[in-house]
Amino acid sequence: LRGRGGSAADMAASSGFRLSCSLVGHEMDVRGLVATLFPVGAFVSVSRDRSARVWVPNGSNRGFTEMHCMNGHSNFVSCVCIIAPNDTYPRGLIATGGNDHNICVFTLDSPAPLYILKGHKNTVCSLSAGKFGTLLSGSWDTTSKVWLNEKCLMTLQGHTAAVWAVKILPEQGFMLTGSADKTIKMWKAGRCERTFTGHNDCVRGLAILNELEFLSCSNDATIRRWQITGQCLQIYYGHTNYIYSLSVFPNGKDFLTTGEDRSVRIWRDGECTQTIRLPAQSIWSGCVLDNGDIVAGSSDSVIRVFTEAEERTASADEIQTFENELSSATIDSKTGDLGDININELPGKEHLNEPGTKEGQTRLIRVEDTVQAYQWNVVDGRWLKIGDVVGSSGGTQKSSGKVLFEGKEFDYVFTIDINEAGPSMKLPYNINEDPWLVAHNFLQKNDLNPMFLDQVANFIIENTKGHTLGSTGIGFSDPFTGSGRYIPGTELGTGGTNEVDPFTGSGRYVPGSLPSGLAPSAGGDPFTGVNAYVSADGCAPTTLSNPYFPKKDPVTFDQANTIQIIGKLKELNDSTSADQKLSEGDLQMLEKFLCVVSSPSAQERPTAQQLEILWKAAQWPEDIVFPVLDILRLAIKHPTVNEHFCSEHYSKQFSNYLLNKINLRGKPANQMLVLRTVCNCFANQTHGSKFMMSLREAILSQAIEMRSASSKNVHIALSTLILNYAVNLHAGNDIEGKANCLSIISAAIEALQDYEAIFRLLVALGTIISDDPNALQLAQSLGVDSQIRKYSSVSDPAKVGDCCRFVLKVL
């Protein structure tokens, strides 16, 4: 750890980098680091804990103090850069990019943002500053944007997947972008001048060497040195896993890299001259300070500074503490960092008597039933233990039955991928634990949305053989009053309509079953799976056509138990204020109104008086308005009601009402019902559908925020709303509208987990790209194929995998 390899002369001249200090302050992974211009010798760190922190050198030779903590993001902070000083801000500015799609710009004097740049449609994962205050950003939305002060000057489009890395070559006015599509592009004045190919996986980092050369690093575990003319001058090998960051030393030649193999590596004259292992799996970021010291940020939330200067080296006790942390770390053999491991073929500790042959060489040693990893330290001439290997014998189910994780034994250690573009997370579990509690603690620890609770808990249950989840029972308990009569969004009991909604109908989770009293239709509904693949003679067809898209008609939510709705309405009417309370006559009118709008064969039409009473009741407070919203949801399908609310006289009031209710702060039942109401507006092409299309941007921009709600029913309503917009856009040539819808689909697919919601998004995507080459090309450039590919293997429900494969075939 404390030596640097190379020639004998090199080793005599320098002892290599040693630990200078460890800085604790962040609560989660440190994702980005950058040296500042002011104060001298300081640096900025950003983290998944949503903060950025400025660290300034202590008065003594070593150590740093946190100057202040900056907050402005509502989600993980992914990257950071320094905007050069100017007359207005003589000490420069700090820019940070986050998973909330925003860029926050700070001064050194305030913990709050000076301003926030909005425009990206997904995570901002890379930033670079150029001359005259220009800022280049890269995002998962596949674009880069060029900013000046508070304005976006241009958007660079051309990559087909996330833009993980950006750098500005200031002298020539070139801009570089590195992408998950494995390419690097060089831009001038918003145009792509050259595309660099060679990497075999995502390009994760870029660094400028001089006016003519730059470096790139990749998930393919290599670093490449390029000329701006397009030639690859050199490939550097050494890392054994993803490489996340690059940083160049002041001499403009040497550089450091950090990666998923638990290491920081120093490169001089084309060779890896030192490998520094850390007690954390992911070393996300590194930077070089003006004095030549290096800083590393990792997944254990600790920042570590290393130095070649003796006066800044940590004390012997501090170094020993660090080595003890390293020694007690666990290394997952399944990462491949240590090669294939067969414990029976490994030597014992006596093998450590033989010296290593090069700096950073690793050796695996068998100690009884465990495997330990050691790394050769050239300068000290000794083997340094860098961790215990998990997943070899002694750490698997096969032998001892236990897995070591963070120094403790578990029956299972699962790798969880919540976000396809994000890092994997470890979930340890013992079979005597409550899977729901373990899942809850896992989500809290990793700052993940509670909406994943069911998915993670069920994953644990399904993958720990023999443990099943007891029936929770649906029951009829009202979530607000416990009265047991009415639950918004449920279709249990009798009354209401008999038609089964193809998306929400009962039996959705029981393949092949039908609700009682419902005869199977001749063709079957491809969305419910009922008879979907059975031909007229009862035999499965030999070839499958695409029954899913393009979908031509909107999807509506029709089912209801009108008796329960009216019962709840009357009960809650008693608790509302006197000025909002409905009279007995009003209640009778609403009951009759509900019967009229719920019966397709009814001869009567809703009256103006009934509509006025409905509107009055719709103004009830948030906590009791849900039965009124349910009535509105059913009524808006009726032509008379649809025309009333969606035509000129009421449209402004109605749109304001809907937009006000599409609110993350609202009650889940209200969120679901208002989204269902908007979906049902599309039932009338003459009025409701046109009205909803006129509000498309406003409604979709607010509705997509519902993806972070915790209710599965809200997510299904959201995906249905997106599908209905796709249905209406399909027939036209509104490419801007389709682009907006594709962006919303992409954002929703990234967040939603429920298979029914995902299915509807896949149908929406297929509908948008069908019969329109421009929309298809746009979807391909957004990289949605990589987002949805994981669903192609879903077999339960089968329609998800089937539909996904049809979409991928079109893409």
Side-chain angles (χ1 to χ4, degrees), residues 175 515 610 707 754:
M175 296 180 177
Q610 290 170 341
R707 70 191 188 279
D754 179 75

Side-chain angles (χ1 to χ4, degrees), residues 557-674:
F557 294 89
D558 306 334
Q559 290 182 294
N561 188 316
T562 56
I563 296 172
Q564 289 183 354
I565 294 173
I566 289 297
K568 178 58 67 177
L569 183 78
K570 290 177 178 178
E571 177 187 327
L572 294 176
N573 185 56
D574 292 335
S575 63
T576 191
S577 61
D579 60 325
Q580 291 183 316
K581 187 169 292 188
L582 302 179
S583 68
E584 191 60 33
D586 290 343
L587 289 171
Q588 289 176 3
M589 277 198 174
L590 268 189
E591 189 169 358
K592 184 169 184 180
F593 170 80
L594 185 54
C595 290
V596 169
V597 298
S598 299
S599 175
S601 59
Q603 298 299 311
E604 296 179 67
R605 295 177 59 184
T607 66
Q609 189 177 7
Q610 290 170 341
L611 289 168
E612 288 299 325
I613 294 168
L614 174 64
W615 189 244
K616 176 184 176 182
Q619 313 310 313
W620 278 6
E622 180 77 3
D623 57 341
I624 63 170
V625 75
F626 59 86
V628 184
L629 286 174
D630 223 355
I631 295 173
L632 182 61
R633 183 260 305 185
L634 293 167
I636 201 69
K637 288 186 63 194
H638 193 284
T640 301
V641 182
N642 197 286
E643 181 179 357
H644 176 80
F645 285 110
C646 299
S647 57
E648 287 185 12
H649 179 64
Y650 252 97
S651 61
K652 186 65 177 176
Q653 294 178 67
F654 188 52
S655 62
N656 288 340
Y657 182 85
L658 294 176
L659 290 169
N660 184 55
K661 292 293 181 190
I662 303 174
N663 189 328
L664 259 181
R665 297 186 300 274
K667 298 283 186 183
N670 296 346
Q671 294 169 345
M672 173 191 69
L673 290 169
V674 72

Side-chain angles (χ1 to χ4, degrees), residues 700 722 725-726 729 736-746 768:
L700 283 178
I722 296 170
Y725 273 111
L729 287 164
E736 288 185 9
K738 291 182 179 182
N740 175 225
C741 197
L742 279 170
S743 174
I744 295 292
I745 292 170
S746 177
I768 282 283

